[in-house]
Amino acid sequence: MNEWFDAEMWEATKLTLKLAFVTTLLLLILGTPIAWWLSRSKSFIKEIIGTLVALPLVLPPTVLGFYLLLLLSPQGKFGSWLSEVFGSPFPFSFKGLVVGSVIYSLPFVVQPIRNSFEAIGENSLEAAASLRASPFDVFFSIALPLARPGILTGSVLGFAHTVGEFGVILMLGGNIPGETKVLSVAIYDYVESLQWEKAHVLAGGMIGFSFCVILATTLIERHWRAKR
Amino acid sequence: MSRFEAEFKGRLGNFEVDVSFTLPQTGITALFGPSGCGKTTILRCIAGLTQLEGNLVVDGKSWQDSSNFLPTHRRPIGYVFQDANLFPHLSVRRNLEYGLKRIQNTQKTKLWEEITEMLGLEALLDREPSRLSGGEKQRVAIGRALLSAPEILLMDEPLSALDRFSRMEILPYLQRLHLDLKVPIVYVSHDLQEIEQLADWMILLEKGHVIAQGSISGLLANPQLPLARLPEAAVILEGSMQDFDSKYCLSKIAVNGGSLTLSQNLGVVGSRHRLRILAKEVGIAKSWQDGDASFLNVLSAVVVDIQPFGQQQANVFLRLGKQAHGDDLLARITRKSCDVLQLKKGDEVKALIKSVGLMGVPTVDQAG
């Protein structure tokens, strides 16, 4: 490793990317059905669930992190059950970060996907049903492909938001190199210890990365729209 | 017993539906009525897209009764929506295959060839739906519905979103459907002229209730129904080609209770044609000598009923033939003429028909 990008930084980068990929994958698996249900249901509970999903948008990450810490702590009932099932406690581990990130980034994934499901409207879905497609079949053959732009936007936002996460991770994961020390925490550390150059490399890299991701998303969406 | 019996009852918002009707085995049945009379709701109930209380029995199988409701995807229907509703992410070919893939049918290739040929879809197969004209989209939508091998075809104002030109383009295909298809078609429309071109049967709706059902020619000339009071009131006559006068290029069509002459070659003797005669194109004379005027179509008829129509006019319901044994005819004349002629029920008169419309496409009004 060269001087301006040492092994420690590389480790933090790898860990951040791993966390973001795992989180995004889980968010898509979890968020898509939630978004579908929110876009189609007419029941009142939908508004309650919708509000719960949206809460992380307004809560300070420290609040979320604090309660997650209490919930996952092996001293509690739920936390001890969890650590028994998974073999080790959740706080101050990669697993704990994943749980925190999934909850914290959920609204960023659910909202765009829900919007594009809502934009499909009843027409295409009814046409599919009249052509013998079961509701399950309609979801996979019509709804998912038509919601592609929303799914892309949701994934990108979820991924980027996880990469940039700081408060929840600090509350829940501390600062263990290779386990919970992600880029945002590393930058904070470098600044604290006056290693400004290293902080610059990571922070500047994040700006470049974010710019590229958003530009790429815009271009892909533009390409899809042109094909329509 | 009819193979299709329906009964729906219920409220949707502040709109109440209470209908019961049967459908014939084949042919096009029009659901007709003013906007907001519940036509589309009833069609959606048949498809299972809207759920109201009721019973629906098709071919002895219950699609809906008090204890069960077959979901849309398990009903063997074809549904053609007002605005085509093609899947925007699939090519025309894959739109057409969507229903075909999901049915159990051993003769899929044959079905595919028949339908794509009948609707002229071959040239469109590799296009994207967004690159199709309105008329082409609707043709694909009809093909897509037919390729799911429906036992009943439901059409919700398939022409209303189209411009005049696209309608003209699509009507011949619909007429072909009518001839080739063995399944019944339910056709929702608020355009009477469209129905006159296509339908055999009609269910007349008003404010969520059925006010009449029967053959289209019977309902159009029924004095009890509001149809005769429409500005464009007309009757439909079915007839067969009898004779062609090559010197003057005139075709003689025999209808029930008389014959009509059209200045057009209508093909071989015996061919069937559907004719439309507007009420305002029919005059009445009490006596008539051949050669007195330029009218080609002068038929004996009997007055069945007379109703005032607005301030100046009257609708005279006629039946063709001296014994009133033939088809119905409707004449709209001034009330003054009515009084001058001293018309009353049972009078034997001559119907003077100014023009006869041939219901084919394009519709050409023929001077008679």
Side-chain angles (χ1 to χ4, degrees):
Chain A
M1 277 292 152
N2 56 40
E3 208 174 301
W4 57 269
F5 201 80
D6 61 21
E8 203 189 0
M9 291 159 83
W10 177 235
E11 202 165 45
T13 308
K14 270 196 306 190
L15 185 72
T16 306
L17 289 177
K18 184 175 150 200
L19 177 67
F21 272 116
V22 172
T23 303
T24 308
L25 189 70
L26 286 175
L27 277 172
L28 283 180
I29 295 171
L30 202 73
T32 309
I34 293 178
W36 176 245
W37 181 76
L38 286 174
S39 72
R40 301 253 81 86
S41 167
K42 290 180 183 74
S43 79
F44 176 71
I45 315 167
K46 143 186 161 174
E47 307 303 342
I48 310 272
I49 304 288
T51 308
L52 281 178
V53 169
L55 266 188
L57 285 177
V58 291
L59 282 181
T62 42
V63 171
L64 200 67
F66 173 60
Y67 282 113
L68 274 174
L69 186 62
L70 291 185
L71 182 76
L72 298 177
S73 147
Q75 267 86 51
K77 266 195 185 143
F78 181 70
S80 67
W81 174 79
L82 261 189
S83 51
E84 239 168 70
V85 172
F86 285 87
S88 60
F90 270 59
F92 303 99
S93 76
F94 183 73
K95 294 194 297 275
L97 291 197
V98 171
V99 173
S101 310
V102 165
I103 292 174
Y104 187 48
S105 296
L106 193 60
F108 292 86
V109 176
V110 168
Q111 203 50 49
I113 301 183
R114 176 182 175 177
N115 288 345
S116 37
F117 279 146
E118 276 168 358
I120 296 173
E122 288 297 322
N123 290 354
S124 292
L125 308 176
E126 287 185 344
S130 80
L131 294 164
R132 315 280 192 283
S134 66
F136 199 69
D137 189 353
V138 173
F139 177 75
F140 283 102
S141 64
I142 305 295
L144 271 191
L146 285 179
R148 211 167 47 168
I151 293 171
L152 175 75
T153 309
S155 317
V156 170
L157 286 179
F159 189 89
H161 196 243
T162 306
V163 167
E165 191 184 329
F166 178 69
V168 176
I169 289 183
L170 210 60
M171 294 296 287
L172 205 57
N175 201 351
I176 308 162
E179 179 72 22
T180 63
K181 187 171 186 169
V182 294
L183 280 175
S184 56
V185 179
I187 292 171
Y188 181 75
D189 270 5
Y190 288 138
V191 174
E192 285 280 276
S193 55
L194 299 174
Q195 293 175 275
W196 290 64
E197 261 135 55
K198 287 184 173 178
H200 260 314
V201 171
L202 292 185
M206 291 264 262
I207 291 179
F209 165 79
S210 308
F211 181 84
C212 292
V213 165
I214 293 175
L215 183 66
T217 316
T218 314
L219 291 180
I220 293 173
E221 277 185 347
R222 205 169 88 156
H223 175 70
W224 280 349
R225 251 203 314 273
K227 257 184 70 184
R228 274 285 150 82
Chain B
M1 206 178 90
S2 166
R3 67 187 278 272
F4 186 107
E5 286 171 62
E7 224 183 280
F8 299 113
K9 199 173 172 158
R11 272 185 159 308
L12 276 180
N14 52 7
F15 177 70
E16 194 160 318
V17 176
D18 186 357
V19 295
S20 94
F21 55 91
T22 59
L23 292 181
Q25 299 268 0
T26 55
I28 299 185
T29 303
L31 280 178
F32 178 69
S35 295
C37 68
K39 306 179 290 272
T40 298
T41 305
I42 291 166
L43 203 68
R44 290 175 61 86
C45 284
I46 298 175
L49 293 170
T50 296
Q51 189 167 0
L52 291 180
E53 260 176 57
N55 292 300
L56 180 54
V57 181
V58 182
D59 262 339
K61 274 172 290 186
S62 170
W63 286 9
Q64 178 182 352
D65 55 42
S66 54
S67 62
N68 94 88
F69 182 86
L70 208 60
T72 302
H73 69 276
R74 294 183 47 211
R75 301 186 181 199
I77 52 154
Y79 201 111
V80 178
F81 296 84
Q82 197 168 341
D83 38 10
N85 276 359
L86 297 182
F87 304 128
H89 61 302
L90 301 177
S91 68
V92 167
R93 182 189 301 276
R94 294 188 53 207
N95 261 283
L96 289 170
E97 284 170 350
Y98 193 88
L100 187 70
K101 273 191 209 159
R102 288 166 171 78
I103 54 165
Q104 311 272 319
N105 191 318
T106 46
Q107 297 188 308
K108 289 189 182 182
T109 321
K110 190 171 159 252
L111 187 65
W112 173 268
E113 278 166 6
E114 265 174 33
I115 303 291
T116 50
E117 194 270 332
M118 178 167 89
L119 292 164
L121 297 172
E122 291 96 336
L124 307 177
L125 289 177
D126 296 315
R127 305 254 288 271
E128 297 297 320
S130 58
R131 301 271 182 274
L132 300 177
S133 73
E136 287 168 336
K137 275 185 194 157
Q138 207 50 280
R139 248 156 69 202
V140 175
I142 294 169
R144 184 178 68 173
L146 290 177
L147 282 166
S148 67
E151 285 169 27
I152 179 167
L153 184 63
L154 308 170
M155 304 181 96
D156 185 8
E157 310 213 21
L159 301 186
S160 69
L162 303 180
D163 56 52
R164 214 179 133 72
F165 187 75
S166 311
R167 281 181 200 215
M168 297 290 246
E169 173 201 319
I170 255 205
L171 265 168
Y173 292 105
L174 292 180
Q175 281 167 330
R176 216 178 140 188
L177 277 188
H178 183 197
L179 296 175
D180 293 2
L181 220 57
K182 303 289 178 287
V183 302
I185 300 174
V186 185
Y187 192 98
V188 163
S189 179
H190 65 263
D191 181 345
L192 187 59
Q193 215 184 344
E194 213 173 286
I195 289 175
E196 286 167 347
Q197 304 224 21
L198 293 168
D200 309 291
W201 314 94
M202 176 149 73
I203 295 171
L204 194 59
L205 294 161
E206 208 175 78
K207 294 182 188 127
H209 295 264
V210 173
I211 55 174
Q213 50 185 319
S215 78
I216 178 148
S217 45
L219 294 193
L220 285 173
N222 185 334
Q224 263 76 56
L225 297 179
L227 293 172
R229 292 189 284 278
L230 293 170
E232 294 287 289
V235 291
I236 295 294
L237 303 177
E238 298 268 355
S240 62
M241 176 81 174
Q242 209 176 28
D243 189 24
F244 180 65
D245 178 347
S246 56
K247 185 176 169 198
Y248 296 108
C249 191
L250 296 174
S251 297
K252 199 168 168 191
I253 306 280
V255 296
N256 205 352
S259 67
L260 291 161
T261 303
L262 275 80
S263 58
Q264 186 180 16
N265 188 349
L266 291 180
V268 293
V269 171
S271 56
R272 300 287 297 171
H273 297 280
R274 174 181 277 220
L275 309 171
R276 172 174 182 255
I277 300 174
L278 279 165
K280 62 184 182 198
E281 300 286 327
V282 179
I284 292 177
K286 272 238 156 153
S287 61
W288 176 265
Q289 296 290 310
D290 273 348
D292 267 3
S294 67
F295 287 90
L296 278 177
N297 288 309
V298 180
L299 283 80
S300 297
V302 173
V303 176
V304 179
D305 199 2
I306 302 170
Q307 291 177 353
F309 179 74
Q311 286 286 308
Q312 301 91 16
Q313 291 177 300
N315 281 329
V316 183
F317 297 82
L318 301 167
R319 195 155 291 145
L320 294 180
K322 284 205 163 80
Q323 281 78 44
H325 58 279
D327 287 329
D328 292 314
L329 196 63
L330 197 55
R332 182 162 296 160
I333 59 176
T334 58
R335 275 175 60 197
K336 183 179 176 189
S337 310
C338 233
D339 290 345
V340 170
L341 290 170
Q342 292 180 310
L343 280 184
K344 57 186 187 303
K345 285 185 197 177
D347 278 359
E348 227 179 87
V349 295
K350 295 284 182 183
L352 317 179
I353 301 168
K354 271 175 269 178
S355 76
V356 178
L358 181 66
M359 296 267 93
V361 174
T363 312
V364 185
D365 275 340
Q366 292 295 312

